[in-house]
Amino acid sequence: MDLAFERRGTGEPLVLLHGIGHHWQVWLPVLDLLATERDVIAVDLPGFGASPPLPPGTPYTVESLADAVETFCARLGVTEPHVAGTSLGGHLALELASRGTVRTATALSPVGFWNRSELVYSRAVLRTLRALAFALDSSRGEALAAGPLGHTLAAGLLVAHPSRLSTRDLSEARQALRRAPGFDDTLDSFVWLMPPAPPKTPITIAWGERDRLFSRRQAVRAARWSGQRVRLLRDCGHLPMNDDPALVARVLLEGSRA
């Protein structure tokens, strides 16, 4: 697929995958830090950001999205890249490690390690955030969201420090969420989502210590699944690259050296 992407830096390729309803710009806080050592390729998944949706009849599942990422890499001539992802992208990174088609994989708060009640909660929060994105689709709504209270409420579930997320970045994130044709079908697929098969390549899993979308109990399950400790990102939320770019860049680079 012809997916939208941003590419910076030199070195071994590192493909970055965003979460549900987001776009490649979620990685902006760490792109230049990573580009000092890696050929960084931040991609919009099919049906998200500026990328086209999956072909008609193709279901939005982890498997089909991972297939699209593999095809995208092949079109760029990138073989066995390092890969890192957050949330949905984190699960995709682990799925690609299970296939053995990537050199290393780093997952930040990956989906799929929830219990039933945590799944219901996470899906409800994500649906609410999308409904708010539509509700704020007006000049008055944007003004309300740009105020201190609106800004904190809109970003507080995803980052530990809303003040570190600019009003412009938050507005663009709402637009990406509102315009994502793959959102509903992808969210529906979460109901049947299970942890991937055992990885065939080195993996790293990290979790925001203050993740309010996926609780730290899920990090314990991810550690049990992987047979290794999950690294907790101190004072970070679900999107840790906004809370501590230097820490996240260090984790991703260390993971790609495994």
Side-chain angles (χ1 to χ4, degrees), residues 6 10 58 97 110 148 167 171 188 207 210 213 224 227 250 252:
E6 173 74 4
T10 58
T58 304
T167 299
S171 176
D188 287 344
W207 219 279
R210 296 173 60 186
L213 186 61
R224 194 176 300 129
R250 186 163 65 249
L252 268 56

Side-chain angles (χ1 to χ4, degrees), residues 15 58 91 120 149 159 161 198 202 237 246 248:
V15 177
T58 304
H91 193 108
V120 170
L149 179 58
V159 297
H161 301 279
V248 171

Side-chain angles (χ1 to χ4, degrees), residues 118-230:
E118 291 163 349
L119 169 60
V120 170
Y121 164 78
S122 298
R123 292 182 75 219
V125 169
L126 290 166
R127 287 197 187 281
T128 299
L129 289 174
R130 189 159 199 240
L132 286 173
F134 279 107
L136 295 173
D137 186 19
S138 67
S139 57
R140 182 177 180 182
E142 285 290 340
L144 177 64
L149 179 58
H151 188 93
T152 299
L153 291 175
L157 285 168
L158 299 178
V159 297
H161 301 279
S163 62
R164 298 178 189 175
L165 184 63
S166 73
T167 299
R168 177 180 176 181
D169 288 345
L170 189 57
S171 176
E172 291 179 351
R174 281 196 302 272
Q175 293 178 36
L177 180 57
R178 190 166 56 241
R179 298 171 182 172
F183 180 88
D184 290 329
D185 287 346
T186 303
L187 189 61
D188 287 344
S189 76
F190 285 2
V191 174
W192 300 281
L193 190 61
M194 301 290 289
K200 297 177 182 177
T201 52
I203 65 168
T204 301
I205 302 177
W207 219 279
E209 183 184 45
R210 296 173 60 186
D211 193 327
R212 299 184 182 96
L213 186 61
F214 298 158
S215 71
R216 285 170 55 181
R217 290 188 297 273
Q218 297 174 52
V220 174
R221 297 186 197 108
R224 194 176 300 129
W225 168 81
S226 63
Q228 63 185 48
R229 293 185 64 182
V230 170

Side-chain angles (χ1 to χ4, degrees), residues 65-87:
L65 292 173
D67 289 344
V69 172
E70 286 189 337
T71 302
F72 164 77
C73 289
R75 287 175 66 92
L76 286 185
V78 174
T79 58
E80 292 191 339
H82 303 283
V83 64
T86 179
S87 197

